Amino acid sequence: MPEYVSDAHDPRLSDFTGLRDVELRKSMEAEQGLFVAEGEKVIRRAIGAGYPVRAVLTTERWLQSLADVLGDVTVYVVSEEVMHGVAGFQVHRGALASMERLPVPPVTEALERASRIVVLEDLVDHGNVGAIFRCAAALGVDAIVLSPRCADPLYRRSVKVSMGAVFAIPYARMDNWYDGLEQIRAAGFRTLALTPAQDATPMDTVEMSDRVALLLGSEGDGLSSRWLREADEQVCIPMSPTAMEAGVDSLNVVAAAAIACHGLMRGTSIHRGRRQP
Amino acid sequence: MPEYVSDAHDPRLSDFTGLRDVELRKSMEAEQGLFVAEGEKVIRRAIGAGYPVRAVLTTERWLQSLADVLGDVTVYVVSEEVMHGVAGFQVHRGALASMERLPVPPVTEALERASRIVVLEDLVDHGNVGAIFRCAAALGVDAIVLSPRCADPLYRRSVKVSMGAVFAIPYARMDNWYDGLEQIRAAGFRTLALTPAQDATPMDTVEMSDRVALLLGSEGDGLSSRWLREADEQVCIPMSPTAMEAGVDSLNVVAAAAIACHGLMRGTSIHRGRRQP
């Protein structure tokens, strides 16, 4: 149901205001239980994953692009100028949807049928969280557990960078950081702490088991000493000694996560690929 | 030698103008044989790699941070406001250096002592090129070959995203795309074309040899059909069929490059890590 709106400050558009104001959006989204998805593909994936749509904001040009999946959802149609005025940036493929959050399951529930999981400790960058969700989902990781301070996977930028992968992989958030890892170990997961320290076990040679959890630390400091100590094994990605001497002494967190997630799948049917039955 | 400058349009600062104007910088840097490095660490790495410094632009606050490596280079000292006025953005760690480009070696020379190389076909995003250089250098890849249309590794953003890794790994640019791959195969490299197609050989099971080249395609379209056809083998990173059905059907180019570069090092001493002699 299209409704034409000509004023960027129209109260009907309130779900979409302040999209570039991280602090405002954080409190507003938590309070109202909503999040924003951007672009046709990502909106389709969110709907496909069962998130109810509250409203859509789009321009005449993109009005038809989502028509087949929106049913009787209200679609606010605005000019390009008003769109830019509301969002504060060039909207990717001309559509924004505000959507209802669904309850996030408790950690134990997310782990129930999982054999390979990733645990993120205090990753605060929404783009990095989104990128790691995309890797983990694509490579076949079963679930992601977030420490209490990790950035929100449903924040607009996380959703966008993940290309909608945040809707494709189950995740849960720990109640508290201090005992969080113990809960995962108690569920029978062998915990591997990724560290840049080159005297750790190379990821490709570490012993795997039925249930394995890969622990990834924050952008700057890596994993906390508590988690490094509590983990069953510290693992690393072998790096070139020559490069390290030249000051190239680390991988960015997404590249490291990609390599480690790929390694995490070793021994599973996905890792062997279609050609190797 | 500090020179205090109070006007953002002072002609002495001309090396640093228009830093946000990609087209302007491309032609200007090619014409004058210069590039710009940003931030203390990256500038140090460029100097360490032998690139001569033309001039440095900084603020009083950061003036001393590079003093030990600059010798008699002219350092233009400006206020924060002028710095922002010249650069057009918040300069990372308060220092920019304009530096002389060095001759890029011919492809044959870059390959001489290499056993593991990466070949990039038409990657146009400077950030992606920088990120792949960082991965390749950190993981121990010996050299990178660029197709003629690939983005410039010494463009400011490539340098920055690479954290200076563009100075740590030899690279060369093909004279022409059409025969470029043949030259690499003639040098005895087994060529592996990375593709998302899941019926290709999984990267971890592909046969390696003394000299192996990993071919990575552009952000949108991947490798050209010519290169896919010419390569000795098409390789893939196995992905989750469930995720692919849910629309998560690819990895971003940097994540894919990271996993594939790691796989490329299989059979080398680096890949085995320090713990496995």
Side-chain angles (χ1 to χ4, degrees):
Chain A
M1 296 189 303
E3 287 186 26
Y4 290 79
V5 180
S6 58
D7 177 2
H9 301 285
D10 191 304
R12 286 174 291 176
L13 308 186
S14 65
D15 275 7
F16 303 99
T17 51
L19 286 178
R20 299 191 64 181
D21 184 338
V22 180
E23 290 312 313
L24 169 72
R25 291 302 305 190
K26 273 191 195 168
S27 61
M28 170 182 162
E29 295 189 1
E31 220 166 76
Q32 304 190 24
L34 65 84
F35 70 95
V36 167
E38 181 179 355
E40 185 200 334
K41 267 194 192 174
V42 168
I43 295 170
R44 280 183 188 275
R45 284 176 194 164
I47 294 170
Y51 290 89
V53 187
R54 287 162 62 111
V56 167
L57 177 66
T58 189
T59 56
E60 191 76 50
R61 182 175 162 215
W62 295 96
L63 181 54
Q64 290 313 312
S65 64
L66 286 160
D68 59 309
V69 288
L70 288 180
D72 58 358
V73 166
T74 304
V75 179
Y76 298 111
V77 185
V78 297
S79 66
E80 301 279 354
E81 292 68 38
V82 171
M83 188 74 163
H84 199 283
V86 178
F89 56 90
Q90 189 66 40
V91 174
H92 183 64
R93 296 186 66 83
L96 292 168
S98 70
M99 317 201 55
E100 306 274 354
R101 288 174 183 253
L102 297 174
V104 173
V107 169
T108 45
E109 198 181 312
L111 301 185
E112 253 168 28
R113 279 175 304 275
S115 73
R116 293 289 186 273
I117 68 167
V118 164
V119 186
L120 303 182
E121 188 187 37
D122 296 1
L123 265 91
V124 295
D125 182 277
H126 291 108
N128 287 342
V129 167
I132 292 174
F133 267 73
R134 182 174 172 192
C135 277
L139 295 171
V141 170
D142 299 308
I144 294 182
V145 177
L146 309 172
S147 75
R149 287 195 293 196
C150 257
D152 177 14
L154 293 189
Y155 189 77
R156 182 179 55 87
R157 190 166 154 71
S158 318
V159 172
K160 183 177 181 176
V161 171
S162 84
M163 305 271 283
V166 292
F167 311 126
I169 182 169
Y171 70 91
R173 195 179 282 272
M174 294 176 171
D175 293 324
N176 80 78
W177 165 81
Y178 197 80
D179 302 321
L181 211 51
E182 184 44 41
Q183 193 178 14
I184 287 166
R185 299 182 65 216
F189 281 86
R190 181 166 157 72
T191 50
L192 307 178
L194 187 67
T195 161
Q198 293 291 298
D199 55 356
T201 310
M203 187 69 200
D204 284 358
T205 64
V206 73
E207 187 197 327
M208 300 302 255
S209 67
D210 282 354
R211 310 193 96 181
V212 188
L214 172 69
L215 318 182
L216 300 174
S218 69
E219 293 85 358
D221 299 329
L223 287 165
S224 64
S225 56
R226 181 177 171 87
W227 281 28
L228 278 173
R229 204 171 50 234
E230 268 189 56
D232 293 305
E233 191 150 6
Q234 299 194 11
V235 296
C236 72
I237 296 162
M239 291 197 291
S240 152
T242 325
M244 291 181 79
E245 274 164 34
V248 183
D249 56 359
S250 64
L251 289 159
N252 102 12
V253 66
V254 177
I259 296 170
C261 284
H262 177 71
L264 179 67
M265 302 312 290
R266 192 156 47 88
T268 68
S269 61
I270 290 172
H271 193 268
R272 287 187 289 273
R274 289 202 197 155
R275 289 267 295 257
Q276 320 289 319
Chain B
M1 296 189 304
E3 286 186 26
Y4 290 78
V5 180
S6 58
D7 177 3
H9 301 286
D10 190 303
R12 287 175 290 176
L13 308 186
S14 64
D15 275 7
F16 303 99
T17 51
L19 285 178
R20 298 191 64 180
D21 183 338
V22 180
E23 290 312 313
L24 170 73
R25 292 300 305 190
K26 274 191 195 167
S27 60
M28 171 181 161
E29 295 189 1
E31 220 165 78
Q32 303 189 25
L34 67 82
F35 71 96
V36 167
E38 182 179 354
E40 185 200 334
K41 268 195 192 173
V42 168
I43 295 171
R44 280 182 188 275
R45 284 175 194 164
I47 294 171
Y51 290 89
V53 186
R54 286 161 62 111
V56 168
L57 177 66
T58 189
T59 56
E60 191 77 50
R61 182 176 163 213
W62 295 96
L63 180 54
Q64 290 312 313
S65 65
L66 286 161
D68 58 309
V69 288
L70 288 180
D72 58 358
V73 167
T74 304
V75 180
Y76 298 112
V77 185
V78 297
S79 66
E80 301 280 355
E81 292 68 37
V82 171
M83 189 74 163
H84 199 282
V86 178
F89 56 89
Q90 189 65 41
V91 173
H92 183 64
R93 296 186 65 84
L96 292 167
S98 70
M99 318 203 52
E100 306 273 356
R101 287 174 183 254
L102 297 174
V104 174
V107 171
T108 45
E109 198 181 312
L111 301 185
E112 253 168 27
R113 278 176 303 277
S115 73
R116 292 289 186 274
I117 68 167
V118 164
V119 186
L120 302 182
E121 188 187 37
D122 297 2
L123 266 89
V124 295
D125 182 277
H126 291 109
N128 287 343
V129 168
I132 292 174
F133 266 73
R134 182 174 171 191
C135 277
L139 296 172
V141 170
D142 298 309
I144 294 180
V145 177
L146 308 173
S147 75
R149 287 194 295 195
C150 257
D152 177 13
L154 294 190
Y155 188 77
R156 182 179 55 87
R157 190 166 154 71
S158 319
V159 172
K160 184 177 179 175
V161 172
S162 84
M163 304 272 281
V166 292
F167 311 127
I169 182 168
Y171 70 92
R173 196 179 280 274
M174 293 175 171
D175 293 324
N176 80 78
W177 166 81
Y178 197 79
D179 302 322
L181 211 51
E182 185 44 40
Q183 193 178 14
I184 287 166
R185 299 182 66 215
F189 282 86
R190 182 167 158 70
T191 51
L192 307 178
L194 187 67
T195 161
Q198 294 290 299
D199 55 355
T201 311
M203 187 68 200
D204 284 358
T205 64
V206 73
E207 186 197 328
M208 300 300 258
S209 67
D210 282 355
R211 309 193 97 181
V212 188
L214 172 69
L215 318 181
L216 299 175
S218 70
E219 293 85 357
D221 300 329
L223 288 164
S224 63
S225 56
R226 181 177 170 87
W227 280 28
L228 278 173
R229 206 172 49 236
E230 268 189 56
D232 293 305
E233 191 150 6
Q234 300 193 11
V235 296
C236 72
I237 296 163
M239 291 196 293
S240 152
T242 324
M244 292 180 79
E245 274 165 33
V248 183
D249 55 359
S250 65
L251 288 160
N252 102 12
V253 66
V254 176
I259 296 170
C261 284
H262 177 71
L264 179 67
M265 302 312 290
R266 192 156 47 88
T268 69
S269 61
I270 290 173
H271 193 269
R272 286 188 290 273
R274 289 203 195 153
R275 290 267 295 258
Q276 321 288 319

